[in-house]
Amino acid sequence: MPDAAGGRARLEETDRTGLRAPAAPSGPLRTCIGCRGTDSRSILLRVVAETHPDGLTVLVPDPRRRAPGRGAWLHPDLRCFDLAVRRRAFARALRCSPGGIDDLRSWVEDHTQR
């Protein structure tokens, strides 16, 4: 396929169908459990389930993204949080029935207003 200058188009500019390939996203992408949109992990909040010695499992925000265990990713705004609660996405994503949703909601409210 000739280009505008009359030469052949370079292979790295097109995909195998001959169309221009989309730009590759930078960094790892994660899916928000609330709105189901994908975004960079630097934008999303990681939430983990911690089990206390008394057997109660609570949701804990992990802003440093370093806590051990299974994590769920969420946009740090109330709209996505409410969608995740309504869809019961925390229990599905973390594979447990967590409590402490009110504490996590207040954490999201505090950090959204900044």
Side-chain angles (χ1 to χ4, degrees), residues 81-92:
F81 179 83
D82 291 337
L83 279 170
V85 170
R86 190 175 79 219
R87 294 177 55 239
R88 298 185 185 120
F90 289 110
R92 192 175 319 111

Side-chain angles (χ1 to χ4, degrees), residues 21-35:
S26 62
L29 294 178
R30 302 288 185 259
T31 302
C32 172
I33 63 170
C35 68

Side-chain angles (χ1 to χ4, degrees), residues 21-73:
S26 62
L29 294 178
R30 302 288 185 259
T31 302
C32 172
I33 63 170
C35 68
R36 305 291 299 154
T38 58
D39 220 333
S40 170
R41 69 179 257 183
S42 63
I43 294 175
L44 296 171
L45 170 68
R46 184 170 184 257
V47 177
V48 295
E50 282 188 1
T51 304
H52 291 285
D54 62 355
L56 181 66
T57 304
V58 295
L59 295 174
V60 178
D62 182 21
R64 293 181 52 220
R65 301 173 211 72
R66 299 284 187 267
R70 176 177 289 276
W73 298 87

Side-chain angles (χ1 to χ4, degrees), residues 76 78 106-114:
L78 290 177
S106 64
W107 191 95
V108 171
E109 284 176 348
D110 292 344
H111 288 79
T112 301
Q113 295 173 356
R114 290 184 181 178

Side-chain angles (χ1 to χ4, degrees), residues 10-25:
R10 295 186 314 203
L11 290 177
E12 64 265 6
E13 291 180 9
T14 61
D15 62 2
R16 66 187 178 122
T17 63
L19 303 173
R20 183 172 290 276

